[in-house]
mmCIF file of all heavy atoms in Angstrom:
data_model
loop_
_atom_site.group_PDB
_atom_site.id
_atom_site.type_symbol
_atom_site.label_atom_id
_atom_site.label_comp_id
_atom_site.label_asym_id
_atom_site.label_seq_id
_atom_site.Cartn_x
_atom_site.Cartn_y
_atom_site.Cartn_z
ATOM 1 N N LYS A 73 -7.090 3.709 -5.145
ATOM 2 C CA LYS A 73 -7.011 4.690 -6.216
ATOM 3 C C LYS A 73 -6.161 4.096 -7.326
ATOM 4 O O LYS A 73 -5.024 3.703 -7.090
ATOM 5 C CB LYS A 73 -6.393 5.997 -5.692
ATOM 6 C CG LYS A 73 -6.328 7.096 -6.733
ATOM 7 C CD LYS A 73 -5.803 8.371 -6.110
ATOM 8 C CE LYS A 73 -5.803 9.516 -7.115
ATOM 9 N NZ LYS A 73 -5.324 10.765 -6.499
ATOM 10 N N ARG A 74 -6.731 4.043 -8.517
ATOM 11 C CA ARG A 74 -6.048 3.453 -9.676
ATOM 12 C C ARG A 74 -5.505 2.057 -9.359
ATOM 13 O O ARG A 74 -4.347 1.756 -9.608
ATOM 14 C CB ARG A 74 -4.938 4.373 -10.175
ATOM 15 C CG ARG A 74 -5.455 5.704 -10.688
ATOM 16 C CD ARG A 74 -4.331 6.532 -11.314
ATOM 17 N NE ARG A 74 -4.805 7.879 -11.532
ATOM 18 C CZ ARG A 74 -4.483 8.928 -10.767
ATOM 19 N NH1 ARG A 74 -3.672 8.783 -9.745
ATOM 20 N NH2 ARG A 74 -4.959 10.114 -11.037
ATOM 21 N N ASN A 75 -6.353 1.242 -8.752
ATOM 22 C CA ASN A 75 -6.035 -0.139 -8.393
ATOM 23 C C ASN A 75 -4.889 -0.279 -7.396
ATOM 24 O O ASN A 75 -4.277 -1.337 -7.295
ATOM 25 C CB ASN A 75 -5.732 -0.983 -9.645
ATOM 26 C CG ASN A 75 -6.942 -1.124 -10.541
ATOM 27 O OD1 ASN A 75 -8.056 -1.282 -10.053
ATOM 28 N ND2 ASN A 75 -6.726 -1.048 -11.839
ATOM 29 N N ARG A 76 -4.577 0.783 -6.667
ATOM 30 C CA ARG A 76 -3.521 0.721 -5.663
ATOM 31 C C ARG A 76 -4.109 1.105 -4.300
ATOM 32 O O ARG A 76 -4.793 2.107 -4.180
ATOM 33 C CB ARG A 76 -2.390 1.679 -6.029
ATOM 34 C CG ARG A 76 -1.200 1.553 -5.124
ATOM 35 C CD ARG A 76 -0.030 2.345 -5.648
ATOM 36 N NE ARG A 76 1.087 2.190 -4.739
ATOM 37 C CZ ARG A 76 2.169 2.932 -4.773
ATOM 38 N NH1 ARG A 76 2.308 3.870 -5.691
ATOM 39 N NH2 ARG A 76 3.139 2.740 -3.907
ATOM 40 N N HIS A 77 -3.828 0.284 -3.311
ATOM 41 C CA HIS A 77 -4.329 0.547 -1.961
ATOM 42 C C HIS A 77 -3.581 1.723 -1.338
ATOM 43 O O HIS A 77 -2.367 1.826 -1.439
ATOM 44 C CB HIS A 77 -4.180 -0.696 -1.081
ATOM 45 C CG HIS A 77 -5.115 -1.792 -1.468
ATOM 46 N ND1 HIS A 77 -6.394 -1.870 -0.966
ATOM 47 C CD2 HIS A 77 -4.984 -2.819 -2.329
ATOM 48 C CE1 HIS A 77 -7.014 -2.906 -1.499
ATOM 49 N NE2 HIS A 77 -6.177 -3.506 -2.330
ATOM 50 N N GLN A 78 -4.351 2.600 -0.693
ATOM 51 C CA GLN A 78 -3.810 3.776 -0.017
ATOM 52 C C GLN A 78 -4.142 3.652 1.471
ATOM 53 O O GLN A 78 -5.268 3.328 1.835
ATOM 54 C CB GLN A 78 -4.463 5.060 -0.557
ATOM 55 C CG GLN A 78 -4.562 5.147 -2.069
ATOM 56 C CD GLN A 78 -3.229 5.401 -2.741
ATOM 57 O OE1 GLN A 78 -2.400 6.141 -2.233
ATOM 58 N NE2 GLN A 78 -3.017 4.790 -3.890
ATOM 59 N N VAL A 79 -3.148 3.921 2.316
ATOM 60 C CA VAL A 79 -3.349 3.964 3.768
ATOM 61 C C VAL A 79 -2.988 5.371 4.216
ATOM 62 O O VAL A 79 -1.855 5.817 4.012
ATOM 63 C CB VAL A 79 -2.478 2.924 4.499
ATOM 64 C CG1 VAL A 79 -2.674 3.041 6.007
ATOM 65 C CG2 VAL A 79 -2.806 1.520 4.026
ATOM 66 N N VAL A 80 -3.964 6.064 4.793
ATOM 67 C CA VAL A 80 -3.787 7.472 5.150
ATOM 68 C C VAL A 80 -3.797 7.626 6.668
ATOM 69 O O VAL A 80 -4.783 7.274 7.322
ATOM 70 C CB VAL A 80 -4.911 8.345 4.539
ATOM 71 C CG1 VAL A 80 -4.680 9.819 4.831
ATOM 72 C CG2 VAL A 80 -5.030 8.103 3.041
ATOM 73 N N GLN A 81 -2.697 8.147 7.221
ATOM 74 C CA GLN A 81 -2.653 8.498 8.641
ATOM 75 C C GLN A 81 -3.402 9.821 8.800
ATOM 76 O O GLN A 81 -3.055 10.806 8.144
ATOM 77 C CB GLN A 81 -1.211 8.643 9.122
ATOM 78 C CG GLN A 81 -0.411 7.361 9.043
ATOM 79 C CD GLN A 81 -1.038 6.226 9.837
ATOM 80 O OE1 GLN A 81 -1.499 6.398 10.956
ATOM 81 N NE2 GLN A 81 -1.069 5.056 9.225
ATOM 82 N N LEU A 82 -4.413 9.833 9.635
ATOM 83 C CA LEU A 82 -5.268 11.006 9.788
ATOM 84 C C LEU A 82 -4.847 11.842 10.991
ATOM 85 O O LEU A 82 -4.557 11.302 12.063
ATOM 86 C CB LEU A 82 -6.722 10.563 9.967
ATOM 87 C CG LEU A 82 -7.317 9.789 8.797
ATOM 88 C CD1 LEU A 82 -8.661 9.201 9.183
ATOM 89 C CD2 LEU A 82 -7.435 10.677 7.574
ATOM 90 N N HIS A 83 -4.855 13.157 10.786
ATOM 91 C CA HIS A 83 -4.474 14.089 11.838
ATOM 92 C C HIS A 83 -5.546 15.169 11.966
ATOM 93 O O HIS A 83 -5.959 15.755 10.971
ATOM 94 C CB HIS A 83 -3.134 14.747 11.507
ATOM 95 C CG HIS A 83 -2.036 13.750 11.332
ATOM 96 N ND1 HIS A 83 -1.324 13.228 12.386
ATOM 97 C CD2 HIS A 83 -1.550 13.148 10.221
ATOM 98 C CE1 HIS A 83 -0.437 12.368 11.929
ATOM 99 N NE2 HIS A 83 -0.558 12.294 10.627
ATOM 100 N N ALA A 84 -5.975 15.431 13.206
ATOM 101 C CA ALA A 84 -6.912 16.514 13.471
ATOM 102 C C ALA A 84 -6.120 17.813 13.516
ATOM 103 O O ALA A 84 -5.136 17.921 14.247
ATOM 104 C CB ALA A 84 -7.636 16.283 14.786
ATOM 105 N N VAL A 85 -6.546 18.776 12.702
ATOM 106 C CA VAL A 85 -5.850 20.053 12.574
ATOM 107 C C VAL A 85 -6.853 21.167 12.838
ATOM 108 O O VAL A 85 -7.831 21.304 12.104
ATOM 109 C CB VAL A 85 -5.263 20.205 11.144
ATOM 110 C CG1 VAL A 85 -4.637 21.566 10.959
ATOM 111 C CG2 VAL A 85 -4.278 19.085 10.840
ATOM 112 N N GLU A 86 -6.615 21.947 13.885
ATOM 113 C CA GLU A 86 -7.511 23.068 14.155
ATOM 114 C C GLU A 86 -7.104 24.251 13.294
ATOM 115 O O GLU A 86 -5.947 24.656 13.285
ATOM 116 C CB GLU A 86 -7.469 23.463 15.630
ATOM 117 C CG GLU A 86 -8.484 24.543 15.964
ATOM 118 C CD GLU A 86 -8.523 24.901 17.427
ATOM 119 O OE1 GLU A 86 -7.759 24.336 18.226
ATOM 120 O OE2 GLU A 86 -9.331 25.785 17.767
ATOM 121 N N ALA A 87 -8.056 24.795 12.550
ATOM 122 C CA ALA A 87 -7.772 25.923 11.660
ATOM 123 C C ALA A 87 -7.646 27.213 12.463
ATOM 124 O O ALA A 87 -8.506 27.537 13.273
ATOM 125 C CB ALA A 87 -8.879 26.066 10.623
ATOM 126 N N LEU A 88 -6.575 27.914 12.221
ATOM 127 C CA LEU A 88 -6.393 29.251 12.772
ATOM 128 C C LEU A 88 -7.041 30.262 11.825
ATOM 129 O O LEU A 88 -7.617 31.249 12.245
ATOM 130 C CB LEU A 88 -4.899 29.532 12.914
ATOM 131 C CG LEU A 88 -4.463 30.759 13.665
ATOM 132 C CD1 LEU A 88 -4.990 30.737 15.083
ATOM 133 C CD2 LEU A 88 -2.933 30.817 13.683
ATOM 134 N N GLY A 89 -6.973 29.950 10.530
ATOM 135 C CA GLY A 89 -7.576 30.797 9.512
ATOM 136 C C GLY A 89 -7.382 30.189 8.133
ATOM 137 O O GLY A 89 -6.703 29.178 7.977
ATOM 138 N N LEU A 90 -8.000 30.812 7.139
ATOM 139 C CA LEU A 90 -7.865 30.399 5.746
ATOM 140 C C LEU A 90 -7.385 31.599 4.946
ATOM 141 O O LEU A 90 -7.872 32.707 5.146
ATOM 142 C CB LEU A 90 -9.206 29.921 5.178
ATOM 143 C CG LEU A 90 -9.902 28.754 5.870
ATOM 144 C CD1 LEU A 90 -11.242 28.476 5.199
ATOM 145 C CD2 LEU A 90 -9.028 27.509 5.851
ATOM 146 N N VAL A 91 -6.452 31.366 4.044
ATOM 147 C CA VAL A 91 -5.983 32.444 3.178
ATOM 148 C C VAL A 91 -6.809 32.455 1.899
ATOM 149 O O VAL A 91 -7.440 31.458 1.543
ATOM 150 C CB VAL A 91 -4.471 32.316 2.862
ATOM 151 C CG1 VAL A 91 -3.641 32.390 4.142
ATOM 152 C CG2 VAL A 91 -4.182 31.044 2.093
#
Side-chain angles (χ1 to χ4, degrees):
K73 182 176 183 179
R74 296 186 192 104
N75 295 321
R76 187 171 180 193
H77 290 273
Q78 314 287 323
V79 178
V80 184
Q81 297 302 317
L82 298 170
H83 301 276
V85 175
E86 185 177 1
L88 190 59
L90 301 177
V91 299

